Amino acid sequence: MKIGFGYDVHRLVEGRRLILCGAEIPYELGLLGHSDADVAVHALMDAILGALALGDIGKLFPDSDEKYKDANSMELLGQVIEEMHKNGFTLGNLDMTIVAEKPKLAPYIPQMRENLARAFGCDTSKISVKATTEEGLGLAGSGIGAYAVVMLEENP
């Protein structure tokens, strides 16, 4: 088994869509980033790459490369999952926490879990997505952060 941890944070701004785990969340602000800025998927990709000791998403998908401008993070996740399989591993489970003061994310968590399970080709029982606030401390509404932990299992 291998365990990986990932973290990412993006600023909330006007004029952008809010995408988390591939789900579009209706909100007046979105996340600023070179790609679609799906902060949760970025943390997850970093966790997988970390478990495999392959660096981080900046190494694989540099923001200096225009081909990743406005890229769909779920598609990038697919490439990271392919890399995981090429290295002889499958997902044991993942646990993610999204940190946001607003909007409330609970209604969208089932869709997020389904999107991730589809990407990994697994049951949602292996996918945990939670949301919390920082009670007005920390990001305090100016951004959204995400933490992800994965356990990868070596193929027999």
Side-chain angles (χ1 to χ4, degrees), residues 2-5 46-54 89 150-152:
K2 292 189 176 212
I3 296 171
F5 170 78
D46 272 350
I48 296 166
L49 293 169
L52 298 170
L54 295 177
F89 287 86
V150 295
M151 183 182 69
L152 307 183

Side-chain angles (χ1 to χ4, degrees), residues 118-142:
R118 188 170 30 262
F120 282 98
C122 71
D123 189 78
T124 55
S125 65
K126 292 186 173 194
I127 311 291
S128 171
V129 177
K130 306 177 301 293
T132 191
T133 70
E134 291 183 316
E135 302 296 330
L137 305 169
L139 296 172
S142 64

Side-chain angles (χ1 to χ4, degrees), residues 15-37:
R16 296 273 300 188
R17 298 180 317 154
L18 179 56
I19 310 287
L20 295 170
C21 297
E24 186 163 353
I25 313 298
Y27 192 55
E28 64 266 15
L29 302 174
L31 293 170
L32 180 63
H34 187 68
S35 66
D36 64 8

Side-chain angles (χ1 to χ4, degrees), residues 81-153:
I81 291 170
E82 284 179 30
E83 194 64 33
M84 177 186 74
H85 291 287
K86 282 194 322 193
N87 278 271
F89 287 86
T90 57
L91 180 71
N93 72 299
L94 75 84
D95 185 23
M96 175 185 299
T97 301
I98 302 170
V99 182
E101 293 299 320
K102 291 181 181 177
K104 293 295 182 195
L105 299 176
Y108 308 100
I109 287 176
Q111 182 62 55
M112 292 181 203
R113 292 180 67 218
E114 289 171 18
N115 291 347
L116 295 174
R118 188 170 30 262
F120 282 98
C122 71
D123 189 78
T124 55
S125 65
K126 292 186 173 194
I127 311 291
S128 171
V129 177
K130 306 177 301 293
T132 191
T133 70
E134 291 183 316
E135 302 296 330
L137 305 169
L139 296 172
S142 64
I144 295 179
Y147 299 92
V149 177
V150 295
M151 183 182 69
L152 307 183
E153 298 174 340

